[in-house]
Every structure is written in C-alpha cells, then in structure tokens.
Amino acid sequence: ILNVEQSPQSLHVQEGDSTNFTCSFPSSNFYALHWYRWETAKSPEALFVMTLNGDEKKKGRISATLNTKEGYSYLYIKGSQPEDSATYLCALSGAGSYQLTFGKGTKLSVIP
Amino acid sequence: DTGVSQDPRHKITKRGQNVTFRCDPISEHNRLYWYRQTLGQGPEFLTYFQNEAQLEKSRLLSDRFSAERPKGSFSTLEIQRTEQGDSAMYLCASSLTPYEQYFGPGTRLTVT
C-alpha cells in the first residue's frame, strides 16, 4: 500500500508571492508521480507526470521536481495569481497497477 | 467539449435507495477508472476497466457497489441500499496510456 503525504494542508499567499508544496512517498515500488490541479466545480487537471529521478517539469509559472531516491516531489508556483487558487493533488502509480494513490492535497488560496 | 463527462453532477438520495452514475470517457480512451473522494481525503481508487473488462477492484468496493462498462464505452457505477457513509464525490477518469488519467468533474452524492 502506497502512502502519499502532502504538506502543507492549506496555504494562503498574497498575489505575486512565490510558493511551494511538498509531496512525500515511499521510494520503493515507484512507477510515476502525478500532479493535478483541482479548482472548485471543475475537473482535476493534470499538470505533470514524472518518472525519472531528477526530473524537472515546467508549465508557465508552475514547475515541479522529483527525487525518487529520497521519496519527495516539490511543486513551485512563481508569482502566484488569484486564478492559481485550487487544491493541488499529488498521486503515485506503483509498478504493476494502473490505479493512482492520492495524497490529501494542498489547498492554495491566493489573496488579491 | 471532448473531455470526460459525468452525469448527474449532483445527487441527493435517502438512505436505503439505489443510485446510478454515468461516466462518458474521452472517445478513443480504452481505460476507465472510478475514484471516490470523501471530506478531507484525497481521491481513493475504486475500480479500473480496460475496454469492457473490469481488471482491478479496490476493497473499498463493497458488494453494494457494482460497476459496468458495456461494449467498452460509457460506464455506470451503481450503489445499492445507500448509507450515509457513501456521501462523497465520485470521480471518473479515462486514459489511453498508463501515464496520464483525465478526470471528469465528478458526481457529488449526498445521502440523507
């Protein structure tokens, strides 16, 4: 059973601030790590899928890194905007299974 | 809109009633997944289909739950004799590859 931990649970930042969240997971039985953004009343949106130790991905102001040896991933948001307000979910897929195991998420609120 | 769709978006039912939800995946996706999210938790895996075959089932999927995917297209999730503990957001996702799952907006079930 994979155990995915996310911190912090919630975060309030001022518009323009940069921020980051953490996803921790057991380093064994790792296949891929996924980041999703979930805005209220919308579908969870895939941000990144990472598989290799040292992977770094970037989409606009959002980037993510992956360390499979120590079992963590960071998600960074540069210059937060109100539209970044959402719950950010981290999920793991293990070898031999297609199911995703999610953390509880980090709820980000960006204050204008 | 060519994304994953779910119907209904909201369902209120009385304890003991049966409910059925529908998921229409992205048309070329052969893989389909159901997840459930309860308050304060991340989404939890329920079941997985590849085409019409149900290949994985979580222990969360009690005998009151049944999922089908006739002809490998849309899927239904039925809950019989609903209980208050079934109140949750039910999410459907589809994919073509193991790497990225595309989610629908979910069906929010409230059991009174």
Side-chain angles (χ1 to χ4, degrees), chain A:
Chain A
I1 296 177
L2 298 174
N3 189 30
V4 180
E5 301 283 343
Q6 289 189 247
S7 63
Q9 275 192 326
S10 65
L11 194 55
H12 292 78
V13 301
Q14 292 288 336
E15 182 176 355
D17 287 351
S18 295
T19 188
N20 65 85
F21 328 130
T22 304
C23 175
S24 303
F25 53 89
S27 53
S28 61
N29 198 30
F30 172 86
Y31 184 69
L33 184 128
H34 308 248
W35 281 101
Y36 284 87
R37 175 172 60 199
W38 194 2
E39 296 178 65
T40 304
K42 294 188 178 179
S43 305
E45 173 197 357
L47 292 174
F48 305 113
V49 180
M50 295 183 287
T51 57
L52 299 176
N53 185 45
D55 255 355
E56 292 187 24
K57 296 269 177 105
K58 187 175 180 182
K59 184 187 270 191
R61 294 179 292 101
I62 304 177
S63 60
T65 61
L66 177 65
N67 184 322
T68 59
K69 292 183 179 177
E70 295 183 31
Y72 65 85
S73 175
Y74 293 139
L75 186 79
Y76 301 91
I77 302 179
K78 186 178 177 182
S80 303
Q81 299 296 310
E83 58 264 31
D84 296 328
S85 297
T87 295
Y88 291 81
L89 292 166
C90 167
L92 236 65
S93 45
S97 173
Y98 294 117
Q99 63 177 272
L100 296 179
T101 301
F102 283 87
K104 294 182 180 181
T106 293
K107 186 173 182 179
L108 174 67
S109 300
V110 181
I111 303 161

